[in-house]
Amino acid sequence: MTTVVARPHPFDVATTLTRSSSGSLFGNTTADYANMVGPFGGITAATLLRAALRHPDRIGDPVSLTVNFAGTVADGPFEVIADPVRTNRNTQHWVLTSLQNGVVTTTATAVFGTRRSSWADTELVAPRVDDPDSIAPQQFPRGLAWVHNYEMRFVDGGIDGLATGEPAGSATTVWLRDVPPRPVDFAALTALADTFFPRVLLRLGRIVPVGTVSMTVYFHADADTLAGHGDQPVLGTARAKRFAHGFFDQSAELWTPAGALLATSHQMVYFKA
Amino acid sequence: MTTVVARPHPFDVATTLTRSSSGSLFGNTTADYANMVGPFGGITAATLLRAALRHPDRIGDPVSLTVNFAGTVADGPFEVIADPVRTNRNTQHWVLTSLQNGVVTTTATAVFGTRRSSWADTELVAPRVDDPDSIAPQQFPRGLAWVHNYEMRFVDGGIDGLATGEPAGSATTVWLRDVPPRPVDFAALTALADTFFPRVLLRLGRIVPVGTVSMTVYFHADADTLAGHGDQPVLGTARAKRFAHGFFDQSAELWTPAGALLATSHQMVYFKA
């Protein structure tokens, strides 16, 4: 008889935090999610969210998360401080910090809330697109590690222009999925919200220096909706509003195949061009 | 000869912080900006931003600000802690906290940045609307104090449905201006971004319990653009994407009359309906 031991998903390895004997939380960057410099921001954001999610005093589920990328995260260990600074009956407010050698690399705040049934409506309309199976997954060069943890099937606004030098609009519609497939929980959803390439690259049709300075995720799905979604692909859309003075914004939405809005996300990005 | 002494603008009074002998920063709520319970959130957000703006170690101008409303602010004094946790060559990261009697009422983070000339483009198109002078300013009941500090000339998506009980869509276009007129600086812009009534009220055509839990402002304008804008009215648009499980989002844009995008803003709001 052969015993099959399930290997943990690379995402879970990358976002794991362990408590040291002094009580501090520590994580470790992994080569799997390396970006050009330091780890993929979505993994950093997901790791900070997990620090609150796994905290013994946590109440409710994530409602909003803002992560500010203060400095480069070096390969290796980092410390995370998760402070539930205010707990109300139905909401809880977190201040989250990541440090390396005592220097702040990332700041974040999160609001958790107890969800209850309420009047509901989605005003935004999900894009009507072809099934993911009918679109070939994007092939990526080996150089950039983190993208290989995601299957991206571009409906439009892909990255071909980066190879051909062709400027384009900033809008992208893409089917996204963890590789290998993994149930979409709040942490995975956070990382998925950061998988959209910086819009300025699409607009200019070339690689320029970029770095997200602040990213916010609003969680519209409750835990039941995520459990029902499982590991299906997520439909993502993203676009920018304005580029100026070395900064631009981009906003994104993440949908289930059935058209339920899981999350919306916004970020401000530094660029040099 | 009569000497005219200019009275400070109510906005400046409400957002003033003074340093106590112990070195702590203190503010005071003012009746002018009172909301249903506690002060108007936009004033709280602007006050926290001012704590960073006036800090002697500040570099650059605001790029992004996220404010989390953790609990009711009682009328009276409050303490503000403004901590520049990381200063880079061109960006600076702030953690901001407001407390009353040692209890956290508001958390915030901000990113400041040195703006430089860069490639620029605005993808979003400003709404084409009638001049503010051709639209009558909305009259408000005396009960709610803070709205009387703003002139609101609704192009569409006004609040008439709240009086008649008529549900409507969540989109609003409105000319906004401080009363009396005041130059739009980063602090005033922050407060203006929170002047859009909670979208769920428009959707339902009735007043229900609401409270913003988290608000983010992205500053697209640099200081020169704001100086050029002066105290002209600002054109604002707002709409929601999804209402569910007792929370909804709303996004807003603020434009100059000439069509320059000054700021974009997003918030998650608790509601009961």
Side-chain angles (χ1 to χ4, degrees):
Chain A
M1 198 179 101
T2 321
T3 306
V4 179
V5 178
R7 283 179 56 197
H9 193 284
F11 180 86
D12 294 294
V13 176
T15 58
T16 289
L17 293 168
T18 51
R19 199 169 287 282
S20 73
S21 53
S22 67
S24 300
L25 278 180
F26 282 93
N28 259 289
T29 64
T30 66
D32 287 335
Y33 286 87
N35 203 345
M36 309 277 270
V37 180
F40 165 52
I43 273 292
T44 301
T47 304
L48 285 168
L49 186 70
R50 277 192 74 178
L53 283 166
R54 55 159 283 162
H55 195 286
D57 299 339
R58 187 255 291 193
I59 67 158
D61 288 323
V63 172
S64 74
L65 171 73
T66 294
V67 180
N68 306 289
F69 301 92
T72 305
V73 177
D75 293 342
F78 54 88
E79 183 182 358
V80 171
I81 300 169
D83 192 2
V85 294
R86 170 110 183 206
T87 301
N88 301 312
R89 195 151 50 110
N90 294 311
T91 58
Q92 188 171 48
H93 287 257
W94 294 83
V95 173
L96 306 156
T97 314
S98 185
L99 307 98
Q100 283 186 316
N101 300 318
V103 177
V104 171
T105 57
T106 322
T107 69
T109 57
V111 183
F112 280 52
T114 309
R115 287 187 162 83
R116 57 180 90 196
S117 64
S118 74
W119 173 77
D121 187 53
T122 305
E123 286 201 18
L124 200 66
V125 178
R128 301 183 69 168
V129 301
D130 289 339
D131 289 343
D133 291 344
S134 67
I135 303 163
Q138 179 73 37
Q139 298 303 308
F140 293 107
R142 288 243 51 92
L144 198 63
W146 74 266
V147 293
H148 297 279
N149 299 285
Y150 292 100
E151 189 183 83
M152 300 189 190
R153 298 172 188 261
F154 287 101
V155 177
D156 55 49
I159 55 170
D160 292 344
L162 286 180
T164 59
E166 196 112 13
S170 84
T172 286
T173 308
V174 58
W175 284 106
L176 297 164
R177 198 179 197 182
D178 284 280
V179 174
R182 180 189 180 282
V184 177
D185 53 19
F186 290 107
L189 193 56
T190 298
L192 283 166
D194 195 36
T195 55
F196 302 92
F197 294 104
R199 303 292 93 187
V200 73
L201 309 190
L202 275 71
R203 284 298 311 273
L204 297 179
R206 60 191 169 94
I207 307 284
V208 298
V210 287
T212 299
V213 294
S214 185
M215 171 192 181
T216 287
V217 182
Y218 294 148
F219 301 92
H220 296 278
D222 63 354
D224 289 348
T225 305
L226 288 178
H229 175 78
D231 65 2
Q232 297 176 83
V234 167
L235 182 61
T237 58
R239 80 219 61 81
K241 293 197 179 88
R242 177 161 154 86
F243 309 78
H245 314 297
F247 294 96
F248 70 92
D249 68 315
Q250 63 186 56
S251 290
E253 292 97 34
L254 297 170
W255 304 86
T256 68
L261 185 60
L262 295 172
T264 50
S265 179
H266 309 282
Q267 52 180 268
M268 270 298 250
V269 185
Y270 160 86
F271 75 101
K272 201 168 173 183
Chain B
M1 197 182 101
T2 320
T3 307
V4 179
V5 179
R7 283 178 56 196
H9 193 284
F11 180 86
D12 294 294
V13 176
T15 58
T16 290
L17 294 167
T18 51
R19 199 168 287 281
S20 73
S21 52
S22 69
S24 300
L25 277 182
F26 282 92
N28 259 287
T29 63
T30 66
D32 286 335
Y33 285 87
N35 203 345
M36 309 279 269
V37 181
F40 164 51
I43 273 291
T44 301
T47 304
L48 285 167
L49 186 69
R50 278 193 73 178
L53 283 165
R54 53 160 284 160
H55 195 287
D57 298 340
R58 188 254 290 193
I59 66 156
D61 287 323
V63 172
S64 74
L65 171 73
T66 294
V67 180
N68 306 289
F69 300 93
T72 305
V73 176
D75 292 342
F78 55 88
E79 184 181 356
V80 170
I81 300 168
D83 192 2
V85 295
R86 170 110 183 205
T87 301
N88 301 312
R89 197 153 47 114
N90 294 311
T91 59
Q92 187 172 47
H93 287 256
W94 293 84
V95 174
L96 306 156
T97 313
S98 185
L99 307 99
Q100 283 185 316
N101 301 316
V103 177
V104 171
T105 57
T106 323
T107 68
T109 56
V111 183
F112 280 52
T114 308
R115 286 186 162 86
R116 58 181 88 195
S117 64
S118 73
W119 175 78
D121 188 54
T122 304
E123 286 203 16
L124 200 65
V125 178
R128 302 185 68 167
V129 301
D130 289 339
D131 288 343
D133 290 345
S134 67
I135 303 164
Q138 178 73 37
Q139 298 303 306
F140 293 108
R142 290 244 48 94
L144 198 63
W146 74 265
V147 293
H148 297 279
N149 299 287
Y150 292 100
E151 190 183 84
M152 300 189 190
R153 298 173 187 261
F154 287 102
V155 177
D156 56 47
I159 56 170
D160 293 345
L162 286 180
T164 61
E166 195 112 13
S170 84
T172 287
T173 308
V174 59
W175 285 105
L176 298 163
R177 197 179 198 182
D178 284 280
V179 174
R182 179 190 180 282
V184 177
D185 53 18
F186 290 108
L189 194 57
T190 298
L192 283 165
D194 195 36
T195 55
F196 301 93
F197 295 105
R199 304 291 94 188
V200 72
L201 309 189
L202 276 71
R203 283 298 312 273
L204 298 178
R206 59 191 170 95
I207 307 284
V208 298
V210 287
T212 299
V213 294
S214 185
M215 171 191 181
T216 288
V217 182
Y218 293 148
F219 301 93
H220 296 277
D222 63 353
D224 288 347
T225 304
L226 288 178
H229 174 79
D231 65 3
Q232 296 178 83
V234 167
L235 181 62
T237 58
R239 79 219 62 79
K241 294 198 179 88
R242 178 164 154 85
F243 308 79
H245 315 297
F247 293 95
F248 71 92
D249 68 315
Q250 62 187 56
S251 289
E253 291 98 34
L254 296 170
W255 302 87
T256 68
L261 184 60
L262 295 172
T264 51
S265 179
H266 309 282
Q267 51 179 269
M268 270 299 249
V269 185
Y270 160 86
F271 76 101
K272 201 169 174 182

